[in-house]
Amino acid sequence: MQKTVVKKISETNIDMDVIRQAGHILRTGGLVAFPTETVYGLGADALQAEASKKIYAAKGRPSDNPLIVHVCSFKDINKIVTQIPDKARLLSEAFWPGPLTMILKKNEKLPYETTGGIDTVAIRMPSNKIALALIQEGGGYIAAPSANTSGKPSPTLAKHVLEDLNGKIPLILDGGAVGIGIESTIIDLTEDIPVVLRPGYISLNMLAQVVGEVRMDPGILSKDAGTKPKAPGMKYRHYAPKAEMIIVEGEQENVIQKINRMSKDELKAGKRVGIIGTDETVKYYEYGLIISIGGRQEDEKIAHNLYRILREFDKSDVDIIFSESFSKLRMGQAIMNRLLKAAGHRVILAE
Ligand code: TXA
Ligand code: MG
Protein backbone atom coordinates (compact mmCIF):
# COMPACT_ATOMS: atom_id res chain seq x y z
CA MET A 1 0.00 0.00 0.00
CA GLN A 2 1.13 3.53 -0.68
CA LYS A 3 -0.54 6.79 0.18
CA THR A 4 -2.64 8.20 -2.64
CA VAL A 5 -2.72 12.00 -2.65
CA VAL A 6 -5.60 13.81 -4.38
CA LYS A 7 -4.75 17.33 -5.58
CA LYS A 8 -7.45 19.67 -6.82
CA ILE A 9 -6.53 21.56 -9.94
CA SER A 10 -8.50 24.01 -12.05
CA GLU A 11 -8.46 23.84 -15.84
CA THR A 12 -8.94 27.60 -16.12
CA ASN A 13 -6.16 28.47 -13.67
CA ILE A 14 -3.63 25.65 -13.77
CA ASP A 15 -1.27 25.49 -10.82
CA MET A 16 2.02 24.72 -12.57
CA ASP A 17 3.69 23.66 -9.31
CA VAL A 18 1.26 20.78 -9.09
CA ILE A 19 1.81 19.93 -12.77
CA ARG A 20 5.59 19.94 -12.25
CA GLN A 21 5.31 17.58 -9.27
CA ALA A 22 3.06 15.29 -11.29
CA GLY A 23 5.39 15.52 -14.29
CA HIS A 24 8.30 14.53 -12.07
CA ILE A 25 6.46 11.40 -10.92
CA LEU A 26 5.82 10.45 -14.57
CA ARG A 27 9.40 11.09 -15.68
CA THR A 28 10.73 8.95 -12.86
CA GLY A 29 8.54 6.03 -13.90
CA GLY A 30 5.53 6.53 -11.60
CA LEU A 31 1.78 6.74 -12.19
CA VAL A 32 -0.50 9.80 -12.11
CA ALA A 33 -4.28 9.83 -12.70
CA PHE A 34 -5.55 12.91 -14.51
CA PRO A 35 -8.69 14.32 -16.12
CA THR A 36 -9.25 14.35 -19.87
CA GLU A 37 -12.34 15.59 -21.72
CA THR A 38 -13.57 11.99 -22.10
CA VAL A 39 -12.82 10.10 -18.86
CA TYR A 40 -10.02 10.14 -16.25
CA GLY A 41 -6.80 8.49 -17.44
CA LEU A 42 -4.08 6.63 -15.53
CA GLY A 43 -0.80 7.96 -16.92
CA ALA A 44 2.74 6.61 -17.17
CA ASP A 45 5.71 7.45 -19.41
CA ALA A 46 4.94 5.45 -22.58
CA LEU A 47 8.64 5.22 -23.47
CA GLN A 48 9.57 3.41 -20.25
CA ALA A 49 8.61 -0.26 -20.35
CA GLU A 50 8.68 -0.56 -16.56
CA ALA A 51 6.35 2.43 -16.16
CA SER A 52 3.78 0.97 -18.57
CA LYS A 53 3.91 -2.32 -16.68
CA LYS A 54 2.86 -0.51 -13.52
CA ILE A 55 -0.36 0.56 -15.24
CA TYR A 56 -1.32 -3.05 -15.94
CA ALA A 57 -0.58 -4.00 -12.34
CA ALA A 58 -2.54 -1.11 -10.79
CA LYS A 59 -5.61 -1.74 -12.98
CA GLY A 60 -5.45 -5.54 -13.00
CA ARG A 61 -5.46 -5.20 -16.79
CA PRO A 62 -4.73 -8.17 -19.08
CA SER A 63 -1.23 -7.63 -20.50
CA ASP A 64 -2.40 -8.13 -24.11
CA ASN A 65 -4.62 -5.04 -23.96
CA PRO A 66 -2.65 -2.11 -25.45
CA LEU A 67 -2.56 1.40 -23.99
CA ILE A 68 -3.33 4.72 -25.71
CA VAL A 69 -0.32 7.05 -25.96
CA HIS A 70 -1.28 10.68 -25.26
CA VAL A 71 0.68 13.48 -26.92
CA CYS A 72 0.44 17.28 -26.71
CA SER A 73 1.20 18.09 -30.36
CA PHE A 74 0.67 16.31 -33.68
CA LYS A 75 4.31 16.59 -34.77
CA ASP A 76 5.41 14.62 -31.71
CA ILE A 77 3.91 11.43 -33.12
CA ASN A 78 6.82 11.25 -35.61
CA LYS A 79 9.05 9.88 -32.89
CA ILE A 80 6.95 6.76 -32.24
CA VAL A 81 5.43 5.76 -35.62
CA THR A 82 6.94 4.38 -38.83
CA GLN A 83 5.01 6.76 -41.08
CA ILE A 84 2.16 9.25 -40.97
CA PRO A 85 -0.59 8.58 -43.51
CA ASP A 86 -2.32 11.62 -45.08
CA LYS A 87 -5.57 10.59 -43.46
CA ALA A 88 -3.96 10.89 -40.02
CA ARG A 89 -2.86 14.42 -40.81
CA LEU A 90 -6.34 15.37 -42.04
CA LEU A 91 -8.06 13.83 -39.04
CA SER A 92 -5.70 15.51 -36.61
CA GLU A 93 -6.38 18.87 -38.27
CA ALA A 94 -10.11 18.30 -37.93
CA PHE A 95 -10.36 16.74 -34.48
CA TRP A 96 -7.19 17.25 -32.41
CA PRO A 97 -6.96 18.20 -29.68
CA GLY A 98 -10.06 16.15 -28.93
CA PRO A 99 -11.73 12.78 -28.36
CA LEU A 100 -10.25 10.88 -31.31
CA THR A 101 -7.65 8.11 -31.05
CA MET A 102 -5.78 6.99 -34.18
CA ILE A 103 -4.10 3.61 -34.66
CA LEU A 104 -0.83 3.78 -36.60
CA LYS A 105 2.20 1.53 -37.08
CA LYS A 106 4.63 1.88 -34.20
CA ASN A 107 8.41 2.10 -34.51
CA GLU A 108 11.13 0.59 -32.31
CA LYS A 109 11.25 3.55 -29.91
CA LEU A 110 7.99 2.53 -28.33
CA PRO A 111 8.29 -0.51 -26.04
CA TYR A 112 5.99 -3.50 -26.60
CA GLU A 113 4.99 -3.22 -22.94
CA THR A 114 3.03 -0.10 -23.93
CA THR A 115 1.29 -1.68 -26.94
CA GLY A 116 0.40 -5.02 -25.39
CA GLY A 117 2.92 -6.77 -27.62
CA ILE A 118 1.58 -5.56 -30.98
CA ASP A 119 3.15 -3.52 -33.81
CA THR A 120 0.58 -0.74 -33.89
CA VAL A 121 0.01 2.11 -31.47
CA ALA A 122 -3.10 4.05 -30.46
CA ILE A 123 -2.40 7.80 -30.19
CA ARG A 124 -4.53 10.67 -29.01
CA MET A 125 -4.10 14.36 -28.22
CA PRO A 126 -6.68 15.27 -25.58
CA SER A 127 -8.17 18.76 -25.35
CA ASN A 128 -8.29 19.05 -21.56
CA LYS A 129 -5.69 21.68 -20.63
CA ILE A 130 -4.63 19.93 -17.43
CA ALA A 131 -3.95 16.80 -19.47
CA LEU A 132 -1.98 18.76 -22.10
CA ALA A 133 0.16 20.49 -19.48
CA LEU A 134 0.83 17.19 -17.73
CA ILE A 135 1.78 15.40 -20.95
CA GLN A 136 4.26 18.17 -21.72
CA GLU A 137 5.81 18.10 -18.23
CA GLY A 138 5.80 14.30 -18.19
CA GLY A 139 8.00 14.02 -21.27
CA GLY A 140 5.49 14.20 -24.14
CA TYR A 141 4.39 10.56 -24.45
CA ILE A 142 1.97 9.47 -21.75
CA ALA A 143 0.38 6.03 -21.92
CA ALA A 144 -3.05 6.27 -20.32
CA PRO A 145 -5.95 3.87 -20.19
CA SER A 146 -9.10 4.87 -18.34
CA ALA A 147 -8.23 5.13 -14.62
CA ASN A 148 -10.58 2.40 -13.38
CA THR A 149 -9.95 -1.11 -12.15
CA SER A 150 -10.19 -3.36 -15.21
CA GLY A 151 -13.80 -4.30 -15.86
CA LYS A 152 -15.35 -1.41 -13.91
CA PRO A 153 -17.05 1.59 -15.55
CA SER A 154 -14.57 4.32 -16.57
CA PRO A 155 -14.17 7.16 -14.04
CA THR A 156 -15.83 10.47 -14.79
CA LEU A 157 -14.97 12.01 -11.40
CA ALA A 158 -11.74 11.93 -9.37
CA LYS A 159 -13.57 10.15 -6.55
CA HIS A 160 -14.27 7.23 -8.92
CA VAL A 161 -10.50 6.92 -9.47
CA LEU A 162 -9.93 6.97 -5.71
CA GLU A 163 -12.58 4.24 -5.22
CA ASP A 164 -10.68 1.96 -7.59
CA LEU A 165 -7.01 2.87 -7.14
CA ASN A 166 -6.61 4.15 -3.58
CA GLY A 167 -3.33 2.81 -2.16
CA LYS A 168 -2.10 1.74 -5.61
CA ILE A 169 -0.93 5.04 -7.12
CA PRO A 170 0.79 8.12 -5.63
CA LEU A 171 -1.26 10.94 -7.16
CA ILE A 172 -4.66 11.82 -8.57
CA LEU A 173 -5.20 15.23 -10.16
CA ASP A 174 -8.78 16.23 -9.43
CA GLY A 175 -9.95 18.52 -12.22
CA GLY A 176 -13.65 18.05 -11.48
CA ALA A 177 -16.21 16.27 -13.65
CA VAL A 178 -15.11 15.34 -17.18
CA GLY A 179 -17.04 16.82 -20.10
CA ILE A 180 -17.99 13.99 -22.43
CA GLY A 181 -18.16 11.00 -20.10
CA ILE A 182 -17.41 8.14 -22.47
CA GLU A 183 -14.09 7.18 -24.02
CA SER A 184 -12.66 8.53 -27.28
CA THR A 185 -13.58 7.26 -30.73
CA ILE A 186 -10.85 4.89 -32.00
CA ILE A 187 -10.06 4.78 -35.72
CA ASP A 188 -7.63 2.31 -37.24
CA LEU A 189 -5.58 3.91 -40.05
CA THR A 190 -3.36 0.91 -40.74
CA GLU A 191 -5.74 -0.31 -43.48
CA ASP A 192 -6.66 1.48 -46.72
CA ILE A 193 -10.22 2.08 -45.61
CA PRO A 194 -10.16 3.37 -42.03
CA VAL A 195 -12.07 1.28 -39.49
CA VAL A 196 -13.75 2.54 -36.33
CA LEU A 197 -12.79 0.15 -33.53
CA ARG A 198 -14.70 1.98 -30.78
CA PRO A 199 -17.51 4.52 -31.33
CA GLY A 200 -17.38 7.78 -29.36
CA TYR A 201 -18.19 11.47 -29.54
CA ILE A 202 -16.65 11.76 -33.03
CA SER A 203 -19.17 9.85 -35.13
CA LEU A 204 -18.68 7.78 -38.28
CA ASN A 205 -20.29 10.61 -40.30
CA MET A 206 -17.95 13.24 -38.89
CA LEU A 207 -14.97 11.05 -39.79
CA ALA A 208 -16.28 10.27 -43.27
CA GLN A 209 -16.64 13.96 -44.02
CA VAL A 210 -12.89 14.34 -43.57
CA VAL A 211 -11.44 11.13 -45.04
CA GLY A 212 -14.17 9.62 -47.22
CA GLU A 213 -15.19 6.01 -46.71
CA VAL A 214 -14.95 4.72 -43.13
CA ARG A 215 -16.12 1.33 -41.91
CA MET A 216 -17.34 0.19 -38.52
CA ASP A 217 -15.53 -2.83 -37.08
CA PRO A 218 -18.09 -5.66 -37.44
CA GLY A 219 -16.94 -6.99 -34.06
CA ILE A 220 -18.43 -3.88 -32.41
CA LEU A 221 -21.92 -4.39 -33.74
CA SER A 222 -22.11 -8.11 -33.30
CA LYS A 223 -23.51 -9.99 -30.32
CA ASP A 224 -22.05 -13.17 -31.57
CA ALA A 225 -18.94 -14.11 -29.64
CA GLY A 226 -17.40 -15.50 -32.86
CA THR A 227 -16.92 -12.01 -34.33
CA LYS A 228 -14.06 -10.62 -32.27
CA PRO A 229 -13.62 -6.85 -32.15
CA LYS A 230 -10.23 -5.69 -33.40
CA ALA A 231 -9.47 -3.50 -30.36
CA PRO A 232 -8.39 -6.05 -27.77
CA GLY A 233 -10.10 -4.09 -24.98
CA MET A 234 -13.50 -4.24 -26.66
CA LYS A 235 -13.78 -8.00 -26.20
CA TYR A 236 -14.05 -7.89 -22.43
CA ARG A 237 -17.31 -7.39 -20.55
CA HIS A 238 -16.11 -3.98 -19.74
CA TYR A 239 -17.78 -0.82 -18.54
CA ALA A 240 -19.69 -3.19 -16.35
CA PRO A 241 -21.51 -2.68 -13.07
CA LYS A 242 -21.49 -5.46 -10.47
CA ALA A 243 -25.19 -6.06 -10.99
CA GLU A 244 -26.75 -8.04 -13.78
CA MET A 245 -28.13 -5.65 -16.38
CA ILE A 246 -30.94 -5.94 -18.92
CA ILE A 247 -31.84 -3.45 -21.64
CA VAL A 248 -35.51 -3.21 -22.51
CA GLU A 249 -36.48 -1.88 -25.93
CA GLY A 250 -39.77 -1.22 -27.68
CA GLU A 251 -42.56 1.36 -27.60
CA GLN A 252 -42.15 3.65 -24.61
CA GLU A 253 -45.38 2.55 -22.91
CA ASN A 254 -44.57 -1.12 -23.35
CA VAL A 255 -41.07 -0.61 -22.00
CA ILE A 256 -42.40 1.08 -18.87
CA GLN A 257 -44.94 -1.68 -18.27
CA LYS A 258 -42.41 -4.41 -18.85
CA ILE A 259 -39.83 -2.85 -16.53
CA ASN A 260 -42.49 -2.32 -13.85
CA ARG A 261 -43.58 -5.97 -14.08
CA MET A 262 -40.04 -7.34 -14.00
CA SER A 263 -39.02 -5.04 -11.15
CA LYS A 264 -41.97 -6.17 -9.09
CA ASP A 265 -41.05 -9.82 -9.63
CA GLU A 266 -37.42 -9.22 -8.73
CA LEU A 267 -38.38 -7.34 -5.57
CA LYS A 268 -40.67 -10.20 -4.57
CA ALA A 269 -37.75 -12.55 -5.01
CA GLY A 270 -35.78 -10.40 -2.55
CA LYS A 271 -33.58 -8.66 -5.14
CA ARG A 272 -32.57 -4.99 -5.14
CA VAL A 273 -33.53 -3.32 -8.40
CA GLY A 274 -32.09 -0.28 -10.20
CA ILE A 275 -33.80 1.41 -13.14
CA ILE A 276 -32.19 3.69 -15.72
CA GLY A 277 -35.05 5.86 -16.95
CA THR A 278 -35.26 9.24 -18.64
CA ASP A 279 -36.73 12.63 -17.71
CA GLU A 280 -39.81 11.73 -19.74
CA THR A 281 -40.40 8.36 -18.10
CA VAL A 282 -39.10 8.24 -14.50
CA LYS A 283 -42.42 9.27 -13.03
CA TYR A 284 -44.07 6.13 -14.40
CA TYR A 285 -41.74 3.64 -12.71
CA GLU A 286 -43.08 2.15 -9.52
CA TYR A 287 -40.37 0.04 -7.88
CA GLY A 288 -36.68 0.01 -7.07
CA LEU A 289 -34.03 2.70 -7.22
CA ILE A 290 -35.02 4.86 -10.19
CA ILE A 291 -32.52 7.27 -11.79
CA SER A 292 -33.02 9.55 -14.79
CA ILE A 293 -30.07 9.59 -17.19
CA GLY A 294 -31.34 12.74 -18.99
CA GLY A 295 -33.90 13.59 -21.64
CA ARG A 296 -34.50 10.88 -24.27
CA GLN A 297 -33.05 13.09 -27.03
CA GLU A 298 -30.16 14.51 -24.96
CA ASP A 299 -27.38 12.23 -26.16
CA GLU A 300 -24.61 14.38 -24.65
CA LYS A 301 -26.24 14.37 -21.24
CA ILE A 302 -26.88 10.62 -21.40
CA ALA A 303 -23.21 9.96 -22.24
CA HIS A 304 -22.12 12.30 -19.44
CA ASN A 305 -24.24 10.50 -16.81
CA LEU A 306 -23.96 6.84 -17.84
CA TYR A 307 -20.85 5.65 -15.97
CA ARG A 308 -21.62 7.72 -12.87
CA ILE A 309 -25.05 6.08 -12.65
CA LEU A 310 -23.61 2.57 -13.08
CA ARG A 311 -21.23 3.32 -10.22
CA GLU A 312 -24.08 4.67 -8.06
CA PHE A 313 -25.94 1.40 -8.55
CA ASP A 314 -22.80 -0.49 -7.50
CA LYS A 315 -22.68 1.58 -4.31
CA SER A 316 -26.32 0.86 -3.58
CA ASP A 317 -25.64 -2.87 -4.04
CA VAL A 318 -28.42 -3.40 -6.54
CA ASP A 319 -28.65 -6.95 -7.90
CA ILE A 320 -30.28 -6.18 -11.20
CA ILE A 321 -30.51 -3.07 -13.40
CA PHE A 322 -33.15 -2.48 -16.05
CA SER A 323 -32.33 0.19 -18.59
CA GLU A 324 -34.28 1.82 -21.36
CA SER A 325 -32.71 1.70 -24.81
CA PHE A 326 -31.66 4.86 -26.69
CA SER A 327 -31.66 6.16 -30.25
CA LYS A 328 -28.47 5.50 -32.21
CA LEU A 329 -28.33 9.05 -33.59
CA ARG A 330 -25.24 11.22 -33.02
CA MET A 331 -23.49 9.90 -29.90
CA GLY A 332 -26.25 7.32 -29.49
CA GLN A 333 -24.18 4.68 -31.22
CA ALA A 334 -21.40 5.09 -28.66
CA ILE A 335 -23.90 5.14 -25.79
CA MET A 336 -25.62 1.94 -26.97
CA ASN A 337 -22.22 0.28 -27.52
CA ARG A 338 -21.24 0.89 -23.86
CA LEU A 339 -24.70 0.02 -22.55
CA LEU A 340 -24.82 -3.25 -24.51
CA LYS A 341 -21.39 -4.20 -23.21
CA ALA A 342 -22.38 -3.36 -19.64
CA ALA A 343 -25.41 -5.62 -20.12
CA GLY A 344 -23.41 -8.40 -21.78
CA HIS A 345 -25.79 -7.86 -24.77
CA ARG A 346 -28.89 -8.87 -22.82
CA VAL A 347 -31.76 -7.10 -24.56
CA ILE A 348 -35.46 -7.78 -24.14
CA LEU A 349 -38.16 -6.55 -26.51
CA ALA A 350 -41.20 -5.23 -24.66
CA GLU A 351 -44.42 -5.98 -26.58
O1 TXA B 1 -10.93 8.53 -24.02
C1 TXA B 1 -10.03 7.69 -23.97
O2 TXA B 1 -9.58 7.13 -24.98
C2 TXA B 1 -9.46 7.37 -22.58
C3 TXA B 1 -8.73 8.61 -22.07
C4 TXA B 1 -8.02 8.36 -20.77
O3 TXA B 1 -7.88 9.09 -23.04
N1 TXA B 1 -8.60 6.22 -22.64
C5 TXA B 1 -9.06 4.96 -22.83
O4 TXA B 1 -8.10 3.98 -22.77
O5 TXA B 1 -10.24 4.71 -23.00
P1 TXA B 1 -8.46 2.43 -22.53
O6 TXA B 1 -7.16 1.77 -22.33
O7 TXA B 1 -9.44 2.31 -21.44
O8 TXA B 1 -9.04 1.96 -23.88
C6 TXA B 1 -8.18 1.84 -24.99
C7 TXA B 1 -8.79 0.92 -26.02
C8 TXA B 1 -8.78 -0.52 -25.60
O9 TXA B 1 -9.99 -1.13 -26.02
C9 TXA B 1 -7.60 -1.08 -26.37
O10 TXA B 1 -7.72 -2.45 -26.64
C10 TXA B 1 -7.63 -0.25 -27.63
O11 TXA B 1 -7.97 1.03 -27.18
N2 TXA B 1 -6.31 -0.15 -28.29
C11 TXA B 1 -5.20 0.43 -27.81
N3 TXA B 1 -4.17 0.29 -28.67
C12 TXA B 1 -4.64 -0.40 -29.73
C13 TXA B 1 -4.07 -0.89 -30.93
N4 TXA B 1 -2.80 -0.68 -31.23
N5 TXA B 1 -4.87 -1.57 -31.79
C14 TXA B 1 -6.18 -1.78 -31.50
N6 TXA B 1 -6.79 -1.35 -30.36
C15 TXA B 1 -6.03 -0.68 -29.48
MG1 MG C 1 -10.91 1.54 -20.34
Side-chain angles (χ1 to χ4, degrees):
M1 275 293 258
Q2 56 182 312
K3 186 166 166 43
T4 301
V5 175
V6 181
K7 288 231 158 107
K8 281 216 188 300
I9 182 158
S10 151
E11 196 181 354
T12 49
N13 182 17
I14 296 178
D15 181 341
M16 281 310 288
D17 281 342
V18 173
I19 295 290
R20 274 188 288 272
Q21 279 171 35
H24 177 76
I25 294 176
L26 292 172
R27 282 173 192 269
T28 50
L31 304 182
V32 176
F34 62 97
T36 81
E37 70 279 22
T38 57
V39 298
Y40 273 76
L42 177 60
D45 182 348
L47 303 180
Q48 297 182 42
E50 291 308 313
S52 284
K53 278 165 79 179
K54 288 185 188 164
I55 290 181
Y56 290 90
K59 279 179 61 90
R61 181 178 176 104
S63 62
D64 67 346
N65 190 6
L67 307 172
I68 296 176
V69 177
H70 295 65
V71 295
C72 55
S73 102
F74 178 72
K75 66 173 180 359
D76 289 349
I77 77 175
N78 269 305
K79 187 167 157 188
I80 55 170
V81 302
T82 54
Q83 52 152 333
I84 301 179
D86 286 343
K87 286 176 182 166
R89 196 174 305 283
L90 290 171
L91 287 171
S92 77
E93 280 163 17
F95 302 116
W96 278 13
L100 180 68
T101 296
M102 302 197 268
I103 310 278
L104 299 170
K105 296 206 171 100
K106 83 169 202 65
N107 70 17
E108 71 295 341
K109 288 239 169 54
L110 198 68
Y112 280 117
E113 282 76 2
T114 298
T115 65
I118 60 178
D119 286 314
T120 56
V121 55
I123 311 179
R124 150 167 141 82
M125 176 174 167
S127 63
N128 181 294
K129 297 205 166 55
I130 300 164
L132 288 170
L134 179 68
I135 295 162
Q136 173 111 44
E137 279 298 316
Y141 301 88
I142 303 302
S146 48
N148 50 288
T149 299
S150 235
K152 290 265 224 118
S154 295
T156 56
L157 293 167
K159 75 167 188 196
H160 299 158
V161 182
L162 193 64
E163 278 164 19
D164 284 11
L165 300 177
N166 193 13
K168 297 185 171 162
I169 60 173
L171 179 63
I172 300 171
L173 298 182
D174 178 358
V178 299
I180 296 175
I182 57 177
E183 307 85 347
S184 62
T185 304
I186 301 180
I187 187 166
D188 184 350
L189 297 176
T190 62
E191 299 182 35
D192 286 344
I193 300 170
V195 185
V196 171
L197 305 187
R198 179 174 73 182
Y201 181 87
I202 312 280
S203 66
L204 204 71
N205 279 346
M206 289 158 80
L207 295 164
Q209 276 171 21
V210 179
V211 291
E213 191 182 355
V214 176
R215 292 188 300 124
M216 185 66 89
D217 177 7
I220 294 290
L221 307 170
S222 165
K223 298 182 214 176
D224 134 37
T227 319
K228 286 261 182 305
K230 195 173 172 196
M234 299 298 279
K235 69 176 183 262
Y236 302 107
R237 183 189 173 228
H238 204 182
Y239 316 117
K242 284 188 284 197
E244 183 186 349
M245 183 165 165
I246 297 174
I247 300 169
V248 185
E249 43 175 53
E251 298 287 334
Q252 188 165 303
E253 241 172 72
N254 298 343
V255 168
I256 292 165
Q257 275 184 21
K258 179 92 187 168
I259 291 183
N260 276 334
R261 271 201 308 275
M262 288 191 299
S263 309
K264 191 172 173 188
D265 290 346
E266 293 294 338
L267 286 174
K268 266 200 205 141
K271 298 278 176 62
R272 297 170 73 101
V273 175
I275 297 176
I276 300 183
T278 46
D279 293 350
E280 292 86 339
T281 59
V282 275
K283 57 180 176 291
Y284 302 114
Y285 290 115
E286 295 169 18
Y287 312 96
L289 180 58
I290 303 152
I291 301 185
S292 173
I293 194 167
R296 288 205 56 80
Q297 303 306 322
E298 295 180 300
D299 59 331
E300 299 202 0
K301 193 157 168 196
I302 293 172
H304 183 82
N305 289 331
L306 176 61
Y307 288 144
R308 177 180 55 76
I309 291 173
L310 294 181
R311 278 185 183 260
E312 279 172 21
F313 282 142
D314 271 357
K315 281 228 154 134
S316 316
D317 279 324
V318 306
D319 301 297
I320 183 155
I321 301 167
F322 296 110
S323 175
E324 292 177 18
S325 176
F326 303 102
S327 115
K328 293 213 171 102
L329 287 175
R330 298 184 305 266
M331 244 210 295
Q333 188 146 45
I335 292 165
M336 286 309 294
N337 168 259
R338 307 309 194 273
L339 210 55
L340 283 161
K341 281 172 64 72
H345 283 274
R346 291 188 61 192
V347 182
I348 294 179
L349 179 65
E351 290 171 306

